[in-house]
Amino acid sequence: MAVEARNLAPLPADVDHTVAAALPISGLTAWQGLFDHGRLTAGQTVLIHGAAGGVGSLAVQLAREAGARVIGTGRAGARDTALGLGVNAFLDLEADRLEDAGQVDVVLDMIGGDIMDRSAALVRAGGTLVAIASPPTVRPRDGQAIFFVVEPDRARLADLARRLRDGRLRPNVGSVRTLAEATSVLAAAQRTPGKTIIRVAEGE
């Protein structure tokens, strides 16, 4: 298989392949959403939807390390995972009022739909709503709304791999399945929280 070098970065020898598989797309998406597009800085507040998911869990850790205050959302079952990752507060999207999050500088949305639309009103002046599920249909009154698709970044991927090796970043691996199971697992209505890893060959 031929792959462009800009899409690749060395994997530290002491990092497990299964854990590493959860890092590239989710890690780059989290980084680019928070910092390249959201311009998140220390002391700001970020609202991360799906905080226990593949992208959200990494975004929580990166935002916390950057010195931001993090509010995470998800279903009730994700609360303990999100708190363990370091969110300052957690909102159950099925039981709590989203508006209780208050004003935030950045919203990182992995859900879309009504949650994304309602989140626009929470962005304070000069802030940003960053969406990856679908283009925003509602814009913050005095801020901006951005939809983006993750881009390859060799240098950033290498940096994320170093953070993983050093224990500063912990991907949330939801389940590991065989290639034969891929179609049924990825099409399932009920997903396992975290990143689903498809093992192409045994022993990898």
Side-chain angles (χ1 to χ4, degrees):
M1 177 181 292
V3 181
E4 292 186 22
R6 71 190 180 113
N7 295 336
L8 302 174
L11 175 65
D14 53 351
V15 174
D16 180 78
H17 282 219
T18 299
V19 175
L23 182 66
I25 298 299
S26 295
L28 288 175
T29 299
W31 183 278
Q32 291 172 15
L34 290 172
F35 305 114
D36 295 345
H37 300 289
R39 306 295 181 188
L40 183 69
T41 59
Q44 292 187 325
T45 298
V46 58
L47 174 63
I48 299 176
H49 290 308
V55 176
S57 60
L58 293 173
V60 168
Q61 296 170 72
L62 290 169
R64 286 283 297 176
E65 188 174 49
R69 178 174 181 268
V70 181
I71 303 171
T73 75
R75 296 183 177 179
R79 182 184 299 274
D80 288 344
T81 298
L83 291 173
L85 291 168
V87 298
N88 297 95
F90 180 84
L91 293 176
D92 176 355
L93 291 176
E94 297 177 329
D96 299 325
R97 293 179 68 253
L98 178 60
E99 291 69 23
D100 288 344
Q103 294 290 289
V104 301
D105 299 285
V106 178
V107 172
L108 182 59
D109 176 68
M110 274 73 73
I111 298 175
D114 178 64
I115 294 297
M116 178 175 62
D117 291 345
R118 290 164 58 198
S119 297
L122 304 179
V123 178
R124 60 171 52 102
T128 307
L129 166 63
V130 181
I132 67 170
S134 60
T137 57
V138 178
R139 300 181 63 86
R141 175 175 295 181
D142 296 311
Q144 58 180 335
I146 295 173
F147 170 73
F148 82 100
V149 176
V150 64
E151 297 183 0
D153 187 332
R154 179 183 174 89
R156 181 57 58 196
L157 186 55
D159 171 67
L160 293 171
R162 286 191 294 270
R163 292 167 186 258
L164 176 62
R165 179 198 60 201
D166 297 342
R168 297 159 56 199
L169 200 58
R170 179 166 46 96
N172 183 10
V173 177
S175 65
V176 180
R177 302 300 184 93
T178 65
L179 185 59
E181 298 174 294
T183 301
S184 60
V185 169
L186 298 178
Q190 189 68 32
R191 296 287 185 86
T192 301
K195 193 73 172 176
T196 298
I197 306 299
I198 303 300
R199 190 184 300 278
V200 177
E202 290 302 321
E204 293 295 321

